[in-house]
Amino acid sequence: MKVISYAALKEKSQLERYEYDKPELKDNEVEVKITHCGICHSDIHLIDNDWGISKYPLIPGHEIIGIVENTGKNVKHLKKGMRVGIGWQADSCGYCEYCLSGQEQLCSRNQPTCIGRPGGFAHAIIVNSKFAIPLPDELESENAAPLLCAGITVYNPLRIYGVKPYMKVGVIGIGGLGHLALQFANAFGCEVTAFSSSKDKEEEAKKLGAHNFISLIDISEKELNRYKNYFDFLLSTVFVDLDWKLFVSLLKPNGRLNFVGAGGNINIPIPMLLNNKIISGSAIGSPGMIKEMFEFAARHQIKAKTELFPLEKVNEAIYKVKENRVRYRAVLKM
Amino acid sequence: MKVISYAALKEKSQLERYEYDKPELKDNEVEVKITHCGICHSDIHLIDNDWGISKYPLIPGHEIIGIVENTGKNVKHLKKGMRVGIGWQADSCGYCEYCLSGQEQLCSRNQPTCIGRPGGFAHAIIVNSKFAIPLPDELESENAAPLLCAGITVYNPLRIYGVKPYMKVGVIGIGGLGHLALQFANAFGCEVTAFSSSKDKEEEAKKLGAHNFISLIDISEKELNRYKNYFDFLLSTVFVDLDWKLFVSLLKPNGRLNFVGAGGNINIPIPMLLNNKIISGSAIGSPGMIKEMFEFAARHQIKAKTELFPLEKVNEAIYKVKENRVRYRAVLKM
């Protein structure tokens, strides 16, 4: 049996229709018929081999929603016909301290869904059944697909780093990740501030849950002074270097600046941190955290704003993502 | 009444015998007859006005042990004759969120003991009674004095940042602070590694509680590779810039590099943090935390290694501290 997909045959190329032999299903695996797949900026980094870790032919796609088609003989918790989501991670060792403590994303032998194995810009995928998370009925597939990477990437740090309802949270960058972070932080009960370089996003940011909006373009010294020592938690979703010293100065004592974007550099005088200020990073989240996020998103009606493209128009969709013209996530439909 | 002290009359000067009028005791204050006072590196920074915050005449000293001499009329928990310790902080506003939550050291109106008020290189001191912490009988004054700054500065981050008995802790810099950090981390039940640029400190570091010793001078690539992704908690007590990227690479996922030294800069590629790695800072600790530390130190026989000087020989003592010839803390006796 062949799987129809779209793949980059070499670095920085357009995607082409590409068929590959469906591998045999192992005992702990599940085969999923893909219905939707979001396009994440990291798919584009992988196509372009920006991180030097890509393997070709490369089939991108790690914000996958689909229907269980087949289950390996040891899989008990998934049945044919169930709807599941699959994210950045397709497998892990299963036996290290991180796997054994429900932090599979930290496993040093974790397997990304679309590096060295076929990803979700395709009609089917086979993964370790632990990494195919059942979707609550309330979530629509198109809006839920981006939760699998953009969503969990912003939900996870709110959870593991202890964001509480009485806290003041700032989200830096209002794109695919940021527009979900605004919704999650608002649903957590926090006061939410959006930082964006696109002034035209203010109205929508407020609809998404922001109480305050700060333009990164024409921000005034006076406005910033209002926010000195203000934030308990700042979440940076951007891939570019901003003035991080400035953002650290906006943190309260005990406040945290957390990065989820895989780029840039931070350069800070150490005395700026001595008031119990914290800088950290995080990436994606465990299967258990994705399950929790799904339930939370269903209860709070959190959904990605999406623009739908048929799989065959994947190159057009990627072009629009690169041009920053999608509000806020492109999703492919198979 | 006059108080006899030793003061710097101007920046970078030797200390001179200096008498000042004892201020009137306020209702919430306590007057303490000083018996011992440690010499901290920050006293020298204050004398030299390295941080631009010094006021002259400057009476240094903030690792104070003494006997309660008088209590203001609202002071109920201290009585004449009780032995107390006073550290870097002499007062705070009392009403902000930090004061009200037992984190007085984070109060933006906190008053350092020897900036704009007379410090502990003297025969007496008056402070808000909240900041004079009763000393358990088991602690000897000479060895306990350095707990008031060096001790709490390393105890506090172990506590507030959740160091647990099963963790691997590294202490960077084995001086006044570091030699106490080794003892505390060992008593916490941790596996403890000392990092030092003085190879001759290995034997003593191990007596103080280190299980491993790593020389920062002739460290080999191979030895370091053994420690990649190894530490849950690294505590830097140094004031100089080391290769912080290297130390971040020694952290496990979820690991933390915490700074307590008021100098230097940290410059890190953000992708190095995405495995839930954390960089933070902290300074001193609250009165409540000092009280807890005293009890813990008494139970575990934790004490500073000290060299005693009479108050009159303060300049000689400071000279030896500057030359890095004191093992590990100079203490003045009044």
Side-chain angles (χ1 to χ4, degrees), chain A residues 285-305:
Chain A
S286 67
M289 197 65 91
I290 292 172
K291 185 171 185 293
E292 179 190 298
M293 172 190 67
F294 278 167
E295 290 176 23
F296 188 84
R299 187 152 50 87
H300 288 277
Q301 286 101 50
I302 289 167
K303 47 184 83 167
K305 289 189 171 280

Side-chain angles (χ1 to χ4, degrees), chain A residues 82-265:
Chain A
M82 283 174 76
R83 204 163 49 125
V84 293
I86 299 161
W88 174 265
Q89 189 175 11
D91 209 345
S92 72
C93 83
Y95 303 100
C96 71
E97 67 184 280
Y98 304 104
C99 288
L100 291 173
S101 61
Q103 304 178 88
E104 292 85 348
Q105 82 277 17
L106 300 176
C107 172
S108 64
R109 282 176 284 175
N110 89 77
Q111 291 192 24
T113 300
C114 36
I115 302 173
R117 42 190 303 156
F121 292 3
H123 285 277
I125 190 166
I126 289 175
V127 296
N128 179 340
S129 65
K130 191 187 199 180
F131 294 87
I133 323 295
L135 211 64
D137 291 342
E138 298 87 335
L139 295 180
E140 282 175 42
S141 297
E142 178 184 335
N143 312 116
L147 293 178
L148 273 302
C149 180
I152 190 62
T153 296
V154 299
Y155 183 81
N156 182 59
L158 296 177
R159 271 285 275 106
I160 64 172
Y161 293 135
V163 170
K164 302 289 193 307
Y166 48 80
M167 289 184 173
K168 295 186 170 73
V169 172
V171 177
I172 305 165
I174 309 303
L177 280 73
H179 93 291
L180 288 166
L182 295 177
Q183 296 178 64
F184 281 123
N186 183 287
F188 266 48
C190 303
E191 187 197 287
V192 183
T193 301
F195 292 86
S196 172
S197 54
S198 309
K199 191 127 204 200
D200 65 332
K201 288 184 180 170
E202 176 163 359
E203 193 184 326
E204 195 152 63
K206 291 192 168 170
K207 278 190 201 146
L208 288 165
H211 302 94
N212 311 305
F213 182 91
I214 299 180
S215 163
L216 290 171
I217 300 297
D218 53 3
I219 189 164
S220 72
E221 199 58 37
K222 193 179 150 199
E223 190 177 7
L224 270 184
N225 278 333
R226 239 193 81 202
Y227 288 101
K228 293 268 167 182
N229 301 304
Y230 188 86
F231 292 98
D232 296 284
F233 193 87
L234 287 170
L235 182 68
S236 167
T237 70
V238 300
F239 286 69
V240 295
D241 277 332
L242 299 178
D243 180 357
W244 299 124
K245 276 199 272 296
L246 168 69
F247 284 101
V248 170
S249 77
L250 304 187
L251 290 176
K252 290 169 68 167
N254 298 322
R256 178 188 293 262
L257 169 58
N258 189 66
F259 292 95
V260 296
N265 217 67

Side-chain angles (χ1 to χ4, degrees), chain B residues 289-308:
Chain B
M289 196 66 89
I290 293 172
K291 184 171 186 295
E292 179 191 297
M293 173 191 65
F294 279 166
E295 291 177 21
F296 187 84
R299 186 152 51 87
H300 288 276
Q301 286 101 50
I302 288 167
K303 48 184 83 167
K305 289 189 170 282
T306 52
E307 187 173 340
L308 203 64

Side-chain angles (χ1 to χ4, degrees), chain A residues 5 10 24 31 36 87 91 119 150 168 243 279 291-292 309:
Chain A
S5 75
K10 59 182 173 43
E24 212 174 315
E31 180 191 336
H36 297 79
D91 209 345
K168 295 186 170 73
D243 180 357
I279 293 164
K291 185 171 185 293
E292 179 190 298
F309 297 83

